[in-house]
Amino acid sequence: MQRNASASSCSTASTEVPLYFAYGSNLKAERLIERVGAAPATGRAQLADHGLSFAKRGRDGSGKACFEAALGQTLWGVAYSLTSEQFEILDRFERGYDRVEISIRVEQSGLLAAVTYQAARFTDDPTPFDWYKQLIVDGAREHGLPSEWQAMLAATPARPQPAD
């Protein structure tokens, strides 16, 4: 897989704020709301020709969700409506990612411009902590993502977070 193949860097000073495509832990509405406040979901969404991995190196040493170009695969997520202020807040949580512009297919709406976060640093151990993986599984369930996607997420290997 080739990293960041079809995503381009996005200026944070954009005057038009597109949708936010959540595919990782921010799929879970409660987590996103805790971070940025009210964030209405606009629908299930897909990023064509991309797949999910956990190759982003987290500050805690675990693998975090990221997407990679993967011809013929579909990355499932949710489109949220965020304000420019909410994006600025989210940028602070999403360290180690670059904000990028993409095109997603949102159910009921078709192909739309969106913003998401793509990993800027990578790990040799792409294994998420079990609590982090569970946020993604719960978010996929909450938004009714396809059962095959939910099963793939649930089957993703994870490890317990070491005690401090």
Side-chain angles (χ1 to χ4, degrees):
M1 285 191 206
Q2 188 179 26
R3 299 193 200 290
N4 205 14
S6 66
S8 61
S9 292
C10 173
S11 167
T12 58
S14 177
T15 56
E16 181 180 325
V17 180
L19 296 172
Y20 167 53
F21 177 67
Y23 61 90
S25 64
N26 290 330
L27 268 174
K28 187 162 175 63
E30 180 181 358
R31 180 172 177 88
L32 186 60
I33 290 167
E34 285 173 358
R35 291 175 158 191
V36 302
T42 61
R44 299 179 343 159
Q46 305 168 38
L47 178 60
D49 294 325
H50 287 81
L52 178 69
S53 81
F54 290 89
K56 191 258 185 193
R57 181 173 38 101
R59 291 185 307 262
D60 59 10
S62 69
K64 302 295 185 199
C66 65
F67 66 90
E68 299 178 338
L71 192 62
Q73 291 187 27
T74 299
L75 174 64
W76 280 91
V78 174
Y80 285 99
S81 293
L82 299 183
T83 66
S84 57
E85 292 81 14
Q86 287 174 308
F87 273 112
E88 290 174 17
I89 294 166
L90 196 52
D91 286 346
R92 293 191 292 267
F93 283 99
E94 300 299 342
R95 291 188 211 126
Y97 288 93
D98 293 325
R99 196 189 321 172
V100 295
E101 294 179 351
I102 57 172
S103 293
I104 57 174
R105 183 161 306 281
V106 179
E107 290 185 340
Q108 314 294 319
S109 301
L111 201 59
L112 298 173
V115 167
T116 197
Y117 292 88
Q118 171 58 24
R121 59 183 187 211
F122 299 92
T123 180
D124 292 330
D125 182 12
T127 307
F129 287 143
D130 49 9
W131 64 264
Y132 178 81
K133 177 185 111 170
Q134 194 61 50
L135 287 172
I136 300 171
V137 169
D138 291 348
R141 236 182 248 132
E142 173 185 352
H143 294 286
L145 296 186
S147 57
E148 303 82 26
W149 187 257
Q150 291 182 44
M152 181 277 301
L153 291 171
T156 299
R159 60 188 163 122
Q161 184 165 352
D164 289 335

